[in-house]
Amino acid sequence: MSDIRYVAAESLDEAVKAMLAAGGQGKILAGGTDLLVQMRSGAQNPGTIVDVKKIDEVMQIVELPDGGFRIGAAVSGAVIGEHRKLAAAWPGVVEAVNLIGSKQVQGRASAGGNLCNSSPAADSVPALVAAGAKVVIQGPNGRREVPVEAFPTGPGRNCLAPGELVVSLTLPPRPPGSGDAYLRLIPRTEMDIAVVGVGVSLTLKDGVCTAARVGLGAVAPTVLLVEDAAKALIGSKLDDAALEKAAAACSAACKPINDKRGTIAYRTKIAGVLLKRATAIAARRATSNVPGGMH
Amino acid sequence: MAKFHVTTTVNGEEVEFLCDAQDSMLDVLRGPLGLTGSKEGCGSGDCGACSITVDGRLVCSCLMLAAEAQGHSIGTIEGMAQGDRLHPLQEKFIELAALQCGICTPGFLVAAKALLDRNTNPTETEVRYWLAGNLCRCTGYDKIIRAVMDVAADMRKGVAA
């Protein structure tokens, strides 16, 4: 017999109440690909598990009237990867989500869960930061929104207050000529944790970069928004000088750990390399994403 | 704490069981339901030996709570053969000796079937990436990939169902 409670909440209100009733011992269950592993290892011992997968809003991808998207927090990577319109508008976000784990893990793991697990190396988060995604949070005091980059506060920690849970992630409308990309470095070709991850989202007009955001993962206690890298790209034609400057800004933003996956020097160098490569992919996508077709 | 009473569908048949909140789907399959084809290799979603489908979607049963199965449809390795008639993937694994100790085999078969149900014309690279979540510690990957590619080709020719 166990003392753990399992609640399959039918509504956000019910989920919030169950989390409050758990008095700090509650854990939200979305795909469970982090939570169940942590429970088995003893890293998490929840008193109440609140399953949110019966709540429609948490399980849907919705195209918004303004052209943006709302991705329910517990929508699996497999479902996200099959959403053609989302993948066409935000290929970098979708490829980042789909890099998490195996096909089996993709069958359950969600972008909301990846964010709430709050690993500095979470693959989807740099891409969401680059995309300018907002986190929709429901709690005892109603609803609030925070930018993705403000959500994690440290390794395994985030800004959720007692009783709060993530409902969805919203992606803004996409101007013509926009593209995004996510690249990570891992020691093998699949099924590993990022040593460095870089997300880039940008907009090009007549070959000039008019908007850019850069997200950087696995090189600091939280995923970073690197504004200096974006500034180096904006206004340029993504020439070598601009790319070098943006790469240097990424390297300068790094505060990595030394571990078996990569040294401080290696991670710092690779952050710049991946910035250049991800920018090139995002730019190519932006160029093919102009009404009227390829140039 | 009272146990949970769960009603679900396993390999097309309605099934009821009792479980604790922290029991995994794999615990219940191998325990109360007596379906020991799904194996526990790692218990952390790394090895794929416990692969099942939930509403047609490939997942690790060690990473799912049994209580979550309520109202869903579970597919396991035991549902792959039709009576005495093996699935073409099972026949091909035997024909090509695509198994050594056999512990990973049920997971590989369930995962490979999930791929071929979606795509009967995968490239070798697609097969290798799709099966990246299934580990064979005998390292017999090549014959496994060959078997999946062969069955896909048979399906395209209409030889295999």
Side-chain angles (χ1 to χ4, degrees):
Chain A
M1 295 291 274
S2 85
D3 296 329
I4 301 180
R5 279 166 45 83
Y6 168 84
V7 179
E10 306 268 355
S11 67
L12 287 172
D13 277 353
E14 190 186 341
V16 168
K17 279 185 186 132
M19 286 297 281
L20 279 178
Q25 301 299 307
K27 289 297 287 184
I28 296 288
L29 173 66
T33 54
D34 285 313
L35 178 61
L36 267 66
V37 176
Q38 290 160 1
M39 283 169 59
R40 189 169 296 235
S41 72
Q44 292 281 353
N45 294 295
T48 303
I49 296 168
V50 182
D51 187 348
V52 291
K53 293 192 293 298
K54 287 192 174 164
I55 305 169
D56 285 347
E57 192 178 350
V58 179
M59 292 297 285
Q60 291 170 341
I61 300 175
V62 178
E63 201 178 349
L64 301 172
D66 66 3
F69 287 89
R70 193 182 74 212
I71 305 171
V75 176
S76 71
V79 171
I80 289 172
E82 287 165 9
H83 198 289
R84 285 168 191 271
K85 278 187 156 176
L86 179 63
W90 294 100
V93 169
V94 172
E95 71 196 352
V97 172
N98 286 167
L99 273 174
I100 303 165
S102 60
K103 287 291 173 193
Q104 285 86 339
V105 167
Q106 283 288 311
R108 301 253 303 162
S110 61
N114 199 220
L115 183 65
C116 290
N117 190 52
S118 301
S119 162
D123 277 311
S124 68
V125 181
L128 288 165
V129 167
K134 298 271 195 301
V135 189
V136 179
I137 298 168
Q138 183 89 17
N141 301 318
R143 191 163 279 216
R144 67 184 176 111
E145 276 191 18
V146 299
V148 167
E149 58 270 22
F151 186 86
T153 52
R157 296 200 309 273
N158 57 55
C159 73
L160 288 178
E164 285 190 326
L165 59 101
V166 174
V167 179
S168 61
L169 298 155
T170 54
L171 297 171
R174 214 62 178 124
S178 298
D180 71 330
Y182 173 74
L183 286 178
R184 70 170 180 192
L185 183 111
I186 56 174
R188 47 206 295 258
T189 53
E190 179 73 332
M191 298 280 292
D192 210 339
I193 299 169
V195 174
V196 180
V198 176
V200 174
S201 173
L202 51 77
T203 303
L204 297 177
K205 192 166 186 225
D206 301 326
V208 176
C209 179
T210 56
R213 284 173 64 92
V214 175
L216 186 55
V219 293
T222 64
V223 174
L224 304 172
L225 171 68
V226 189
E227 287 177 323
D228 286 346
K231 276 183 203 155
L233 298 177
I234 295 168
S236 81
K237 293 196 162 186
L238 304 181
D239 50 280
D240 288 349
L243 289 173
E244 287 298 339
K245 205 173 159 191
C250 281
S251 293
C254 292
K255 297 181 197 70
I257 54 170
N258 248 333
D259 74 357
K260 62 185 177 184
R261 301 180 169 280
T263 60
I264 290 172
Y266 185 62
R267 288 174 196 257
T268 305
K269 166 95 178 160
I270 293 299
V273 174
L274 291 188
L275 175 281
K276 288 192 241 177
R277 293 183 187 174
T279 301
I281 297 169
R284 197 163 64 239
R285 289 172 175 168
T287 313
S288 62
N289 202 12
V290 175
M294 301 278 286
H295 288 263
Chain B
M1 186 69 58
K3 287 190 178 265
F4 291 91
H5 178 236
V6 176
T7 305
T8 186
T9 304
V10 178
N11 300 327
E13 286 184 29
E14 192 174 287
V15 166
E16 292 177 57
F17 59 82
L18 297 173
C19 67
D20 287 327
Q22 79 275 24
D23 288 345
S24 72
M25 193 64 229
L26 180 62
D27 293 333
V28 167
L29 286 172
R30 291 184 55 83
L33 299 185
L35 298 172
T36 55
S38 304
K39 307 302 182 194
E40 181 172 70
C42 64
S44 54
D46 292 297
C47 79
C50 66
S51 295
I52 61 168
T53 57
V54 180
D55 302 333
R57 193 70 76 182
L58 184 66
V59 308
C60 287
S61 58
C62 75
L63 292 187
M64 171 183 174
L65 295 178
E68 292 181 75
Q70 174 68 41
H72 292 288
S73 179
I74 310 287
T76 74
I77 184 66
E78 286 86 354
M80 200 155 163
Q82 301 297 312
D84 289 339
R85 199 163 65 86
L86 294 180
H87 187 278
L89 278 163
Q90 292 172 306
E91 288 187 335
K92 190 64 78 176
F93 269 53
I94 295 169
E95 183 192 329
L96 298 188
L99 69 162
Q100 291 174 46
C101 84
I103 286 282
C104 70
T105 310
F108 266 105
L109 286 167
V110 169
K113 180 173 182 294
L115 169 62
L116 297 186
D117 284 349
R118 286 167 176 75
N119 178 8
T120 57
N121 194 18
T123 64
E124 181 176 329
T125 301
E126 285 171 333
V127 174
R128 286 185 183 273
Y129 271 96
W130 185 278
L131 296 176
N134 292 84
L135 302 185
C136 167
R137 291 301 77 181
C138 306
T139 69
Y141 292 105
D142 244 44
K143 288 177 174 177
I144 293 169
I145 304 299
R146 201 62 47 223
V148 176
M149 295 295 287
D150 271 21
V151 172
D154 287 349
M155 289 171 88
R156 294 197 299 277
K157 282 185 272 180
V159 181

